[in-house]
Amino acid sequence: MSTATFLKEEHAIFRKSVRSFLEKEVKPHYEKWEKDGLIPRDLWNKLGQQGLLCPWLPEEFGGGEADFGYSFVLIEELERVGSSLVGVPLHNDVVVPYLWHYGSTEQKKRWLPSCTSGKSVSAIGMTEPGTGSDLAAIKTTAILDGDSYVVNGSKTFISNGLHGDLFVVVCKTDPKAQPAHKGISLLVIEADTPGFTKGKKLDKVGLRSQDTIELSFEDVRVPKANLLGEAGRGFYYLMEQLQQERLIVAIAAIVSAERTLELTLDYVKERKAFGQPIGSFQHNQFTLVELATKVEIGRTFLNSLVERHINQEEVVKEVSMAKYWLTDLAKEVVSSCVQLHGGYGYMEEYEVARRSRDIPVSAIYAGTNEIMKSIIAKKMGL
């Protein structure tokens, strides 16, 4: 496997520590959580105690001022255990960065320490029942009334929603703005705010234990002090942060592909048919060789992008390529590997069956793969 040159000895020590924590606190319980349909809230407190929540934040907020290499290692190790742990990178590297980049000094002091301790789980409310990729078409409004915004509307497919305490909600503070995206703002809404209701956990095909719900807002009064950054700048803030979010999805996708391939290589060496291991048949060998080659190429490309991201380069085009290509590749790998497992690939006791349920949504969230291709086309001047 291609090595990541940006990872140093301290990252290897961190990986060992993360893996040890997951082996003890997560792996023995993960299948039960999948059956129960929920990761326990207490895991967040344990992650906080272990220093695994937002390790990149400054020490004054409970972080370790760690570089993105630490996030990279953590995302990899979580994904190796199971895709339903995606809520942790979502909190660490997608939602909390909004608070850090656009929050005032007072807001940072108010919210960030609880995000590193595990006291507060964060989520972002973008998608609505009637809107998916067309963010400018959102209907949720936040109308200023004195010192408060009055919020009305609903959101769906909200990851970390059930356990969530802090929600970065995409609203229209100026519903009449032209073009529409110039009326979008970001408000931080706390879970116990009157009129803010969490719906029941959504019954998903995969990511069974990851808590995804709907949210509704009925005349929810949110202090003006909870506005993130400037009113009307929300759309631009979202665009600025999407590079990292999509990179995280790409990292998880390649790890899932690698893990599935690893499981399948072990299986085909042991499973026999017609008196010999099924891995000795040329067709199966060629299938696995082709998949392994694509995964190796994908890993090399991804590692180069992570390094460029750490160096604060703008790699929106390349990250969009990685997000769409690696999630499609992971789907291809999982599909082929289920086939190579035969009937056992359809059995719950085999991890490959779970992987086959979990990976398809990665081509949909953080911007569909079709949207990724549109972004790339624009960057190519088309």
Side-chain angles (χ1 to χ4, degrees), residues 157-172:
F157 308 142
I158 308 305
S159 301
N160 286 353
L162 202 60
H163 290 327
D165 304 287
L166 290 175
F167 293 79
V168 175
V169 181
V170 182
C171 315
K172 278 198 173 159

Side-chain angles (χ1 to χ4, degrees), residues 9 116 208 228 230 254-255 287 323:
E9 187 183 350
T116 54
R208 307 288 308 185
L228 262 192
E230 296 175 37
I254 197 68
V255 173
T287 297
K323 195 273 181 184

Side-chain angles (χ1 to χ4, degrees), residues 80-321:
R80 275 189 68 81
V81 175
S83 302
S84 286
L85 295 164
V86 66
V88 180
L90 175 73
H91 169 85
N92 284 357
D93 302 304
V94 177
V95 187
V96 176
Y98 284 99
L99 305 180
W100 171 248
H101 287 295
Y102 310 114
S104 65
T105 303
E106 185 277 327
Q107 288 173 332
K108 289 175 184 177
K109 285 178 180 172
R110 181 157 43 123
W111 293 319
L112 294 180
S114 65
C115 290
T116 54
S117 70
K119 186 182 175 186
S120 292
V121 175
S122 67
I124 188 161
M126 280 196 237
T127 307
E128 296 185 357
T131 64
S133 300
D134 185 7
L135 198 56
I138 62 161
K139 300 278 196 293
T140 299
T141 56
I143 306 303
L144 195 58
D145 179 33
D147 289 335
S148 302
Y149 283 99
V150 180
V151 182
N152 283 284
S154 60
K155 300 289 178 180
T156 194
F157 308 142
I158 308 305
S159 301
N160 286 353
L162 202 60
H163 290 327
D165 304 287
L166 290 175
F167 293 79
V168 175
V169 181
V170 182
C171 315
K172 278 198 173 159
T173 48
D174 181 3
K176 295 177 181 173
Q178 289 298 327
H181 71 264
K182 290 196 171 178
I184 290 175
S185 303
L186 304 183
L187 278 182
V188 179
I189 304 181
E190 286 144 307
D192 58 358
T193 309
F196 174 22
T197 310
K198 295 180 178 184
K200 68 179 190 330
K201 183 173 172 292
L202 298 173
D203 188 15
K204 306 189 297 296
V205 171
L207 306 181
R208 307 288 308 185
S209 55
Q210 203 279 317
D211 56 319
T212 307
I213 65 168
E214 293 183 342
L215 310 174
S216 66
F217 307 93
E218 193 170 335
D219 292 329
V220 178
R221 296 194 78 87
V222 181
K224 190 179 176 182
N226 282 29
L227 176 71
L228 262 192
E230 296 175 37
R233 295 285 302 165
F235 184 82
Y236 302 100
Y237 298 155
L238 292 166
M239 294 305 106
E240 284 167 13
Q241 296 305 313
L242 279 168
Q243 171 171 300
Q244 181 158 296
E245 181 175 355
R246 287 160 181 167
L247 192 57
I248 288 161
V249 175
I251 295 166
I254 197 68
V255 173
S256 188
E258 287 167 347
R259 173 65 181 155
T260 306
L261 201 53
E262 178 187 307
L263 291 166
T264 306
L265 283 168
D266 289 342
Y267 180 81
V268 300
K269 290 170 187 173
E270 298 295 327
R271 171 74 170 154
K272 290 187 175 176
F274 306 103
Q276 60 192 96
I278 61 172
S280 66
F281 297 120
Q282 191 181 63
H283 173 79
N284 294 344
Q285 289 178 348
F286 285 8
T287 297
L288 288 163
V289 164
E290 289 164 12
L291 293 175
T293 302
K294 289 178 184 177
V295 166
E296 186 70 28
I297 291 167
R299 167 58 80 173
T300 305
F301 180 48
L302 177 75
N303 286 353
S304 73
L305 286 187
V306 173
E307 182 154 25
R308 292 175 67 188
H309 179 69
I310 288 171
N311 293 334
Q312 298 187 319
E313 291 182 42
E314 198 254 56
V315 283
V316 169
K317 181 180 77 172
E318 293 85 352
V319 166
S320 302
M321 289 173 169

